[in-house]
Structures are given as C-alpha cells and as structure tokens.
Amino acid sequence: MLFRSACISEATARGSEAKVYLSRARLYPHLRAIRGELALEVNLIRLGWTIIHPERLPMLDQLQTLARAHVIAGELGSAFHLLMYFGTGLVNKNVIGLSVNRRGRDPRVINIIEQLRLQSVNLQLLPCLGFCRPRRIAVDTPGSRVIHDRRMLVPAPWLAARMDQLAEENAQGEARRHRIE
C-alpha cells in the first residue's frame, strides 16, 4: 500500500503523459505478436502518443508511467494486469483495449475486462484484430509450440487516428464533467 502511494504521488508530481500505448513489438519471437504493430506505433508517435514496452522497464517505471497516463491503450493482455495494482485509483483513467474481432469477448482476456470494470475504469474495446495462421516454434523441450499471432484488420493509420479520436473524446468528456461539478 505504501509503495503504491509512493508511485502514484511521485508520478503525479512529475506531470502527466497524456496518451500511452503498451506495445508488444519488442517481445521475444516465441511470444504472440501483432503483425503491423510497428506501423501503428509510428502513426501513434506522430499523433503525440508515448510508446512503452513494459517488459523493458523496471516495475517502478512501469507503475509511474501508468499512474501519469490519462489514456492507456494496447492489446488486452498481460501488460494490463499491472493496472489491477492501482485498485480504484484508476477511476479517472481511460483504457482503449485492442481486441480480437469476434462475437462476444475474447476468452483469453475476459478476466482483464471484468477486473477493469470492477475498478470503474472507462474501458473502450476496439475489435480490430484477427487471428493469423498459427506458427510453430521450437522450444527447449522436445516438440514444438503453436503461436497464434494477431493481425490488424484495419490499416495502421486509420487505427491510430481512431485511437487518438477516442482519447480526445475522453479528454473532452472529462473537461465537461469537471465544469459541471
């Protein structure tokens, strides 16, 4: 509890990073990837987003970056588990989750979606990802492992613009709520 408070207060004191994208682009090749993610990152950077690769940052830096962000986006996956650390401290956060385009929810991330809702996070799902053909990789043990990469179903410039539009709408909605109060 004390560590969480320290992370949040220090992050708040340093200012905010308005829009943060949690990237999978630098994960090891034996982990699931999003094909075309680098093109998405280039477009997001042009729109003023900060790109982070959580697996490359110390835990404290990850927590502080997330605490400073007003909008957090990325494919719903393991990087979003860190948001649960904040409990209801995320009430004012806006999360844009890239998800698989299929009816209903992706069963692999249903727990993340439910947890964010319990934390009263403004979660917006963008069903913009599809499955690629499975690929086999060699593993340390005998046999192989099948990886189900994702691919973007829309062009990267369009997706980046849509994400930025959602972030802007969230910011305007927040400003209106503060004026009403």
Side-chain angles (χ1 to χ4, degrees):
M1 189 72 146
L2 184 60
F3 182 69
R4 176 172 56 190
S5 298
C7 289
I8 294 171
S9 64
E10 185 178 334
T12 306
R14 284 202 216 160
S16 74
E17 295 179 32
K19 304 174 286 189
V20 172
Y21 178 75
L22 304 177
S23 175
R24 297 180 63 88
R26 293 187 184 165
L27 287 175
Y28 297 106
H30 67 280
L31 298 172
R32 188 178 74 234
I34 301 174
R35 295 185 188 165
E37 187 173 33
L38 290 175
L40 175 62
E41 288 181 16
V42 167
N43 285 278
L44 288 171
I45 289 168
R46 286 182 187 147
L47 294 169
W49 287 68
T50 299
I51 310 299
I52 68 163
H53 302 90
E55 71 282 359
R56 308 284 173 144
L57 295 175
M59 182 67 72
L60 182 60
D61 291 350
Q62 290 180 51
L63 292 169
Q64 289 173 341
T65 299
L66 295 175
R68 286 191 303 263
H70 293 293
V71 177
I72 301 165
E75 181 190 9
L76 290 178
S78 60
F80 282 85
H81 285 294
L82 203 52
L83 296 180
M84 295 174 199
Y85 179 78
F86 291 99
T88 56
L90 289 175
V91 170
N92 294 323
K93 300 287 183 194
N94 295 295
V95 173
I96 300 170
L98 309 183
S99 64
V100 173
N101 188 16
R102 62 157 73 156
R103 285 187 173 167
R105 298 177 181 160
D106 185 345
R108 295 184 176 117
V109 296
I110 206 165
N111 62 332
I112 296 170
I113 293 168
E114 293 307 316
Q115 183 63 41
L116 292 173
R117 290 208 172 124
L118 287 172
Q119 290 175 264
S120 300
V121 170
N122 178 21
L123 174 63
Q124 296 175 299
L125 293 178
L126 273 178
C128 59
L129 303 175
F131 290 102
C132 297
R133 282 192 168 175
R135 63 181 166 98
R136 292 197 175 277
I137 60 163
V139 291
D140 294 338
T141 58
S144 63
R145 181 173 165 211
V146 176
I147 302 293
H148 297 275
D149 288 336
R150 309 286 194 256
R151 64 183 172 82
M152 289 188 283
L153 298 176
V154 296
W158 183 90
L159 182 55
R162 179 66 180 134
M163 291 167 65
D164 202 56
Q165 178 186 19
L166 289 172
E168 185 62 33
E169 288 171 4
N170 289 333
Q172 289 173 359
E174 188 118 345
R176 277 193 297 274
R177 279 193 299 276
H178 287 301
R179 279 196 303 266
I180 292 170
E181 295 171 356

